[in-house]
Amino acid sequence: MNSFGRMVFNYLILTFLCLTLSNAITLTKTRSTFAKFPKWNACVNSSISFEFKTSQASGLLVYTDDHGGFDYVEVMLVDGRARLRMNIVDGKDGTVVITLGERLNDGRWHRVKVQRHRMETTLYVDSYHDSRVAFGSDFNFGNIETNNHVYFGGIPNSFYQSNKPLNLSLPSVYFETRFEGEIRNIIYGNCTCRPQRATMLDSNSVSREPREACDEKNDCGTCLCISDDDGPGCQCVGFDCPLGKLPFI
Ligand SMILES: *[C@@H]1O[C@H](CO)[C@@H](O)[C@H](O)[C@H]1NC(C)=O
Ligand SMILES: *[C@@H]1O[C@H](CO)[C@@H](O)[C@H](O)[C@H]1NC(C)=O
Ligand SMILES: [Ca+2]
């Protein structure tokens, strides 16, 4: 192929990719893949949810922690299943592990939600869910001031400094397989009764194009925007609560 032919060929490949990709953030697996998101205020009644699509059987979906203390939440794909590992009590024996779903690497969208309700943690994967109760005395998720940000797909290489401990509560997460695929509708139940969409702050080996439907156009006002393959949609249920913190927190 001459150089013009190659150019046309590349153009066609690019166009094809753009037409087949759905609107989401697209992560490519490299040694430095990560997508940094705002902190999650994982107070006693809170949640974090997102949708993913991949053909890879294993990889890190999401992680955050209390910056090297005890508390962490990690959701990974392990052999096509979603595995939650979470600790909220200050002591290593409070870890809850929940594994759900199978063949989630089928190239279709799957929805994951981690919900905290005091001692109980629930993992939702599509239409399935399972819960575990952690026993202990401290149910706070670290301290929002010092907690790490939320990372999708991998942990930034900047966490690694030779001869220094990793400031991670579950240090193994740094070495996990990076995620390859797409992620959309990242929504936090951020210690308020109104769920909020989260926006990416920083990334490596991640493309934001084509942008998510709700990032292109969001006419939902005070309701929640959910990106679908056909465009944005609004979800207004459960929005009759006042803004601000829940009374018992
Ligand atoms: C608080 O907990 C209740 C009961 O589990 C749940 O219905 C509600 O959605 C939770 N609120 C948040 C912000 O997660
Ligand atoms: C959640 O709350 C924390 C602390 O209040 C804030 O820093 C963060 O930006 C919030 N996240 C989102 C997605 O709004
Ligand atoms: Ca704790």
Side-chain angles (χ1 to χ4, degrees), residues 234-248:
C234 301
Q235 193 177 294
C236 296
V237 286
F239 271 76
D240 46 356
C241 71
L243 277 172
K245 282 189 187 287
L246 292 166
F248 59 85

Side-chain angles (χ1 to χ4, degrees), residues 91-164:
K92 294 289 182 200
D93 47 3
T95 305
V96 297
V97 183
I98 306 174
T99 305
L100 272 182
E102 52 187 62
R103 288 189 292 277
L104 298 173
N105 54 321
D106 58 0
R108 294 164 191 255
W109 285 110
H110 296 284
R111 197 174 136 72
V112 171
K113 182 177 184 181
V114 178
Q115 170 99 45
R116 278 203 65 193
H117 189 58
R118 293 191 57 78
M119 306 153 79
E120 188 174 40
T121 299
T122 307
L123 175 69
Y124 295 83
V125 176
D126 300 327
S127 58
Y128 302 94
H129 69 273
D130 197 2
S131 303
R132 296 281 184 283
V133 171
F135 297 99
S137 52
D138 167 41
F139 295 109
N140 294 317
F141 192 91
N143 174 345
I144 191 73
E145 302 299 327
T146 49
N147 284 354
N148 276 317
H149 283 79
V150 173
Y151 294 99
F152 282 85
I155 304 298
N157 293 347
S158 58
F159 273 80
Y160 185 84
Q161 286 166 322
S162 53
N163 303 324
K164 283 197 181 163

Side-chain angles (χ1 to χ4, degrees), residues 68-248:
F70 293 106
D71 302 343
Y72 63 85
V73 54
E74 177 203 61
V75 184
M76 281 199 61
L77 259 186
V78 181
D79 298 329
R81 312 195 71 197
R83 183 190 69 194
L84 167 74
R85 291 198 288 181
M86 183 161 181
N87 187 51
I88 42 174
V89 297
D90 288 0
K92 294 289 182 200
D93 47 3
T95 305
V96 297
V97 183
I98 306 174
T99 305
L100 272 182
E102 52 187 62
R103 288 189 292 277
L104 298 173
N105 54 321
D106 58 0
R108 294 164 191 255
W109 285 110
H110 296 284
R111 197 174 136 72
V112 171
K113 182 177 184 181
V114 178
Q115 170 99 45
R116 278 203 65 193
H117 189 58
R118 293 191 57 78
M119 306 153 79
E120 188 174 40
T121 299
T122 307
L123 175 69
Y124 295 83
V125 176
D126 300 327
S127 58
Y128 302 94
H129 69 273
D130 197 2
S131 303
R132 296 281 184 283
V133 171
F135 297 99
S137 52
D138 167 41
F139 295 109
N140 294 317
F141 192 91
N143 174 345
I144 191 73
E145 302 299 327
T146 49
N147 284 354
N148 276 317
H149 283 79
V150 173
Y151 294 99
F152 282 85
I155 304 298
N157 293 347
S158 58
F159 273 80
Y160 185 84
Q161 286 166 322
S162 53
N163 303 324
K164 283 197 181 163
L166 289 157
N167 278 326
L168 294 165
S169 312
L170 183 67
S172 62
V173 69
Y174 183 83
F175 305 97
E176 298 293 3
T177 307
R178 310 285 169 133
F179 177 76
E180 175 146 320
E182 292 165 61
I183 297 181
R184 71 180 182 189
N185 287 321
I186 298 176
I187 294 163
Y188 293 15
N190 207 22
C191 210
T192 71
C193 56
R194 276 172 197 253
Q196 296 167 279
R197 294 185 65 85
T199 310
M200 190 163 74
L201 302 173
D202 191 13
S203 66
N204 192 301
S205 310
V206 176
S207 162
R208 292 176 195 256
E209 304 293 339
R211 297 190 347 135
E212 245 191 89
C214 287
D215 295 337
E216 286 286 350
K217 188 166 177 282
N218 182 344
D219 292 334
C220 297
T222 54
C223 293
L224 187 66
C225 185
I226 305 286
S227 309
D228 208 335
D229 290 339
D230 313 324
C234 301
Q235 193 177 294
C236 296
V237 286
F239 271 76
D240 46 356
C241 71
L243 277 172
K245 282 189 187 287
L246 292 166
F248 59 85

